[in-house]
Amino acid sequence: MSKILVFGASGQLGSCLKKVAAERNISRMVFPEESSANILDLDSLKSLFEEVRPSHVINCAAYTAVDRAEDDVETARKVNKDGAANLASFCDAYGSVLVHISTDFVFKGDIPKLLSEDDLAEPVSVYGLTKLEGEQDIERLIKSFFIIRTSWLYSEFGNNFVKTMQRLGRERDVLNVIVDQVGTPTYAIDLAAAVLDIIESGSEAYGIYHFSNEGAVSWYDFAEAIFEISNIDVKLNPIPTSEYVTRAQRPPFSVMSKAKIKNVFGIKISHWKKSLEACIERLAETT
């Protein structure tokens, strides 16, 4: 049976792919250790592709430290651009379909409108720029690819906004959270399910797609929902971006249209709050 090879298997989305694959009894997925699946090590990649001969490759590996990337441009570019290009080249050579995870940070986000796959990508951070460069290399090097842009990823795995808010909400009496950046939270379990739906469809409708949960919300409103569902009592203050200065600039409005992925693959997408409730319920079961 043809194999699905996952890079970044130990990260948040990789862990969610493992969970969804187990629930669906998909046994053909290969989750190698990072030591043997370094997307910058051409010899390791050659050995892995020779051994697995994958029909599909899912790239969850990325440099995602948005603020650190501003001062570590070389590393961010190596991982997000060169690593993506390496995988595209190997997928092309071995006849594999590449499923690559990208980000809403490829957009400037200065206009409050739903962002489509055809809208101008104009990143305002090194992270967003290097992710866009990775997309462009994939498009240049291979025809059989799905690039899936997502946003505000969280889950019961890894470090993310939901788990950070729960921890801070229990430790502090007052929290300040940004109110003038608007986007859509994405439960990584839902994204993992969508990725596997696309692969299992056998579709050749290659290209760029957007996936997040439905709806739009500010970081402040997202935090308020986390505390409400988690039954955490903390005073929450809404603050503007200008009062919380970060090294990297963020797109102020990055709500993406999911019309294309829904129309092409028939994928049903949950509202962000419904998925947040499911995640927090699962988090409560593990504590």
Side-chain angles (χ1 to χ4, degrees):
M1 184 179 290
S2 57
K3 301 288 187 180
I4 302 170
L5 180 58
V6 181
F7 289 87
S10 62
Q12 178 171 218
L13 182 56
S15 299
C16 290
L17 282 164
K18 287 179 187 175
K19 182 177 176 64
V20 175
E23 289 172 351
R24 295 188 182 186
N25 293 315
I26 301 174
S27 59
R28 63 190 182 108
M29 298 188 71
V30 179
F31 297 93
E33 296 294 325
E34 190 172 332
S35 57
S36 62
N38 184 342
I39 61 175
L40 300 179
D41 187 333
L42 298 181
D43 290 335
S44 292
L45 287 177
K46 189 175 192 310
S47 297
L48 203 50
F49 272 80
E50 278 290 328
E51 177 188 349
V52 178
R53 299 275 171 167
S55 63
H56 293 77
V57 170
I58 304 173
N59 183 30
C60 308
Y63 186 110
T64 58
V66 177
D67 291 314
R68 200 185 316 146
E70 295 295 311
D71 301 304
D72 193 11
V73 180
E74 183 180 355
T75 306
R77 180 163 280 126
K78 279 182 179 178
V79 177
N80 293 339
K81 178 185 186 296
D82 298 345
N86 290 342
L87 288 181
S89 295
F90 274 96
C91 283
D92 187 52
Y94 283 82
S96 310
V97 176
L98 176 60
V99 182
H100 176 77
I101 308 302
S102 192
T103 174
D104 60 326
F105 274 51
V106 300
F107 294 110
K108 188 175 183 179
D110 58 339
I111 301 172
K113 66 178 284 289
L114 283 181
L115 294 161
S116 78
E117 291 83 354
D118 296 327
D119 282 329
L120 175 67
E122 195 177 5
V124 293
S125 66
V126 168
Y127 167 67
L129 175 61
T130 57
K131 289 296 288 182
L132 177 61
E133 291 172 342
E135 289 186 10
Q136 292 168 338
D137 277 358
I138 289 169
E139 290 184 281
R140 178 174 57 84
L141 292 166
I142 190 174
K143 293 180 180 177
S144 304
F145 70 87
F146 297 101
I147 292 172
I148 304 176
R149 294 172 178 155
T150 192
S151 61
W152 298 22
L153 211 60
Y154 71 91
S155 70
E156 53 267 42
F157 303 101
N159 297 316
N160 55 69
F161 186 77
V162 172
K163 292 167 78 172
T164 298
M165 285 298 103
Q166 286 188 323
R167 175 177 57 81
L168 292 177
R170 293 183 178 111
E171 293 174 354
R172 303 181 187 178
D173 297 323
V174 181
L175 285 174
N176 299 327
V177 181
I178 291 171
V179 74
D180 58 352
Q181 291 177 21
V182 176
T184 307
T186 306
Y187 187 21
I189 288 286
D190 292 344
L191 175 58
V195 167
L196 293 179
D197 285 345
I198 289 170
I199 291 174
E200 293 189 302
S201 75
S203 173
E204 295 182 0
Y206 302 127
I208 298 176
Y209 291 86
H210 289 170
F211 182 92
S212 67
N213 284 116
E214 296 285 22
V217 68
S218 71
W219 287 111
Y220 168 82
D221 292 314
F222 187 27
E224 186 174 55
I226 292 166
F227 296 135
E228 176 190 331
I229 296 165
S230 305
N231 293 313
I232 295 173
D233 186 18
V234 59
K235 179 175 171 51
L236 198 59
N237 295 323
I239 62 168
T241 299
S242 59
E243 289 186 19
Y244 187 78
V245 179
T246 55
R247 184 70 181 85
Q249 188 178 340
R250 269 76 170 167
F253 189 92
S254 60
V255 182
M256 299 183 294
S257 168
K258 276 78 68 174
K260 182 179 176 182
I261 201 168
K262 289 190 287 189
N263 292 337
V264 174
F265 299 105
I267 290 173
K268 295 180 179 178
I269 304 178
S270 297
H271 188 268
W272 68 265
K273 195 166 186 181
K274 181 178 179 182
S275 289
L276 177 62
E277 289 169 350
C279 178
I280 288 175
E281 184 178 331
R282 287 171 176 166
L283 278 168
E285 291 170 356
T286 62
T287 55

